[in-house]
Amino acid sequence: MYFKILMAYLLGYVTIEVEGYYIERFMNICNNQKIFLWNIKRPKTAIMKVNISVQDFKKIKPIAKKTKCKIKIDNKKGMPFFFHRYQKRKIFFIFFLLVIIGTIALSNFIWNIEITGTDKIDPQEIKQLLEENDFKLGKMKASINTKQVIDQIRLQRADIAWVGIEISGTNATVKIVEADLKPDIIPEEEYCNLIATKEGMITKISAQNGTPLIREGEIVKKGSVLVGGWLEGKYTGTRYVHANGEVQAKVWYSEKIKIPFNQDKKELTGIEEKKYSVKINNFEINFAKKLPKFENYDTIESTKKLRLFSDFYLPIEVHEKVYQEYQKQPVSYSLEEAKKMGEEELSKRLEEQIENKETILDKKVTETHTEEYVEVEVIYEVLENIATKEKIVF
């Protein structure tokens, strides 16, 4: 459809008004004869406004006569009418022609790179990898070996399972499927120990194979050997094995925060200033070099790339900075209010670190305070399996 509209613009099209009681029949006959109509509007039941190419306009007169509809041309648009209108303005015509030639030339390059599918991976890391492999903005599309770029990314990143690159217009879409990283699996025929992944107090030891080296109630550090990968017999001596089992322990997650009793709270006034700059490839034009007149303000920045169509980006970016004024309002909190604020903030942070909330055994909140602030500490006691396998190297 977009191609047909583009061709109609190049060859010329007209906006017509069709009036009659059989407009639906008129449209059906046009559709059957493959006459392309677009931008259809019905201001009234018996009136329709629609765009049609100059070539198809010549075909609809018998259809209008057959359906008893009147046709009137409202507007003429497209390149032929444009050239006819400005044929005496040679400088403008030359400039317009240069713009068209420039647009066609720009269409051979990549001017926007979109990265999708990244959840755990920072998109900037992918962009850096792409640049290292000569896949960057301003690169000619014909010189890009997408297969080679994909292979290089896969080799350099073990946390990526699949990469796809799709180039459409001047836009390149890099699709990422992240790998589900799992710890290295030690084959059953190899010897290994069970070691602690973190510090904790042992509550239960279930050694299916190997020799337990710790007792319940003992506090171990990260990296301590929990179950040794060997067995000792009176007659067989020491025999190395592949240790298996589970070791549960109480582990602790804790954080501290200071909450001042007297604070300055931000309140937006609703007054803001907007300043713009334009970046053409690597050249930037700043239209407003002065700082905002506000004493206190927040800055919100946004960037918009110009494009002609959905996938036809230009090497032009418009940067917008919005300065929002705010006033500082003094606020005072009581000891209990400040303590509650600190507890809520720390609880939120710590619970993001704990994978399974059902394993939380206890929560402890302590505070110490001065005349100026309260320091809150929140400690979560969690029951976890802290054992992981580590290969025995002789």
Side-chain angles (χ1 to χ4, degrees):
M1 184 179 75
Y2 291 111
F3 178 74
K4 288 182 179 180
I5 294 174
L6 179 62
M7 291 302 298
Y9 180 79
L10 294 173
L11 300 176
Y13 71 92
V14 292
T15 301
I16 61 172
E17 182 180 281
V18 183
E19 184 177 356
Y21 293 104
Y22 304 101
I23 290 177
E24 284 77 11
R25 189 181 174 201
F26 174 86
M27 293 173 63
N28 289 334
I29 295 173
C30 288
N31 187 47
N32 291 334
Q33 294 187 15
K34 296 185 178 179
I35 295 173
F36 181 55
L37 306 174
W38 76 96
N39 198 22
I40 300 170
K41 297 177 181 178
R42 296 284 294 271
K44 294 182 180 179
T45 306
I47 296 177
M48 174 180 71
K49 289 191 176 184
V50 65
N51 292 342
I52 185 170
S53 68
V54 173
Q55 290 178 327
D56 286 339
F57 178 73
K58 298 173 184 178
K59 302 177 184 177
I60 64 170
K61 288 184 179 180
I63 299 174
K65 187 176 180 181
K66 186 176 181 180
T67 56
K68 298 179 182 180
C69 292
K70 294 180 182 179
I71 296 176
K72 181 176 70 174
I73 296 175
D74 271 4
N75 204 353
K76 298 177 181 180
K77 295 181 181 179
M79 299 295 287
F81 301 114
F82 179 85
F83 291 147
H84 179 72
R85 190 182 308 160
Y86 295 103
Q87 59 184 348
K88 293 182 180 180
R89 302 181 184 181
K90 293 182 180 179
I91 296 176
F92 183 83
F93 174 75
I94 292 170
F95 174 77
F96 188 77
L97 190 63
L98 289 173
V99 170
I100 293 175
I101 294 170
T103 303
I104 294 171
L106 290 173
S107 66
N108 294 308
F109 298 86
I110 297 292
W111 296 117
N112 186 62
I113 298 175
E114 181 183 359
I115 298 172
T116 63
T118 52
D119 183 20
K120 300 176 183 176
I121 302 172
D122 185 354
Q124 292 300 324
E125 295 179 14
I126 304 300
K127 282 188 178 181
Q128 182 65 34
L129 273 178
L130 292 170
E131 289 182 5
E132 290 174 3
N133 289 281
D134 205 25
F135 189 99
K136 53 190 175 182
L137 298 180
K139 187 70 176 177
M140 185 173 283
K141 293 189 289 187
S143 66
I144 297 174
N145 186 338
T146 55
K147 185 180 182 303
Q148 183 178 347
V149 175
I150 290 169
D151 290 342
Q152 286 298 316
I153 293 175
R154 289 289 310 278
L155 283 172
Q156 294 177 53
R157 295 294 297 244
D159 52 355
I160 295 177
W162 181 84
V163 184
I165 297 176
E166 181 181 330
I167 297 175
S168 178
T170 61
N171 182 61
T173 302
V174 181
K175 299 177 182 178
I176 302 291
V177 176
E178 297 177 342
D180 185 14
L181 292 179
K182 297 180 180 178
D184 294 336
I185 298 174
I186 301 174
E188 290 292 331
E189 62 271 11
E190 293 189 6
Y191 308 136
C192 69
N193 299 318
L194 292 184
I195 66 168
T197 57
K198 57 187 70 175
E199 183 178 341
M201 186 177 75
I202 306 300
T203 60
K204 185 179 179 181
I205 307 162
S206 300
Q208 299 169 4
N209 200 16
T211 302
L213 302 177
I214 39 84
R215 296 187 301 271
E216 291 183 9
E218 185 176 343
I219 294 177
V220 297
K221 294 182 179 180
K222 180 180 178 180
S224 300
V225 180
L226 306 174
V227 178
W230 64 83
L231 293 171
E232 292 183 352
K234 184 176 180 180
Y235 301 104
T236 58
T238 301
R239 178 169 56 92
Y240 288 98
V241 296
H242 183 100
N244 263 321
E246 182 177 296
V247 179
Q248 289 189 342
K250 291 179 182 178
V251 297
W252 298 275
Y253 294 82
S254 66
E255 279 198 32
K256 292 182 180 180
I257 191 172
K258 288 182 179 179
I259 305 293
F261 296 130
N262 298 313
Q263 300 182 24
D264 287 329
K265 186 178 180 181
K266 289 183 181 179
E267 283 193 4
L268 294 176
T269 64
I271 303 173
E272 61 181 31
E273 286 185 15
K274 294 182 180 180
K275 299 184 185 296
Y276 298 91
S277 64
V278 175
K279 189 175 182 181
I280 304 173
N281 206 5
N282 292 321
F283 179 72
E284 187 170 2
I285 304 171
N286 195 349
F287 294 110
K289 297 182 180 179
K290 293 182 180 179
L291 291 173
K293 59 185 179 183
F294 310 133
E295 182 180 355
N296 301 309
Y297 58 88
D298 287 328
T299 306
I300 301 173
E301 297 187 36
S302 62
T303 300
K304 185 177 182 181
K305 286 197 172 185
L306 296 188
R307 57 183 178 180
L308 298 179
F309 311 108
S310 59
D311 291 319
F312 196 100
Y313 287 83
L314 298 175
I316 303 172
E317 294 180 355
V318 178
H319 296 269
E320 180 187 61
K321 286 186 178 180
V322 180
Y323 300 97
Q324 297 180 334
E325 183 188 33
Y326 67 83
Q327 293 179 345
K328 292 181 179 180
Q329 298 292 339
V331 180
S332 296
Y333 296 102
S334 66
L335 174 61
E336 287 303 316
E337 288 173 334
K339 180 181 175 182
K340 185 178 179 182
M341 288 172 59
E343 180 184 347
E344 288 176 352
E345 174 63 26
L346 293 179
S347 297
K348 182 181 176 181
R349 290 187 202 172
L350 292 172
E351 287 178 12
E352 287 176 353
Q353 302 174 30
I354 301 169
E355 293 182 6
N356 186 0
K357 306 296 184 299
E358 295 179 0
T359 60
I360 297 174
L361 299 175
D362 190 23
K363 175 184 175 181
K364 185 178 180 182
V365 181
T366 60
E367 53 92 0
T368 56
H369 62 272
T370 65
E371 293 181 355
E372 297 178 351
Y373 64 84
V374 61
E375 184 176 57
V376 183
E377 181 179 22
V378 175
I379 303 172
Y380 276 97
E381 187 176 77
V382 184
L383 186 65
E384 293 183 1
N385 174 26
I386 64 170
T388 189
K389 295 180 180 180
E390 182 182 62
K391 186 177 177 181
I392 298 176
V393 180
F394 295 98

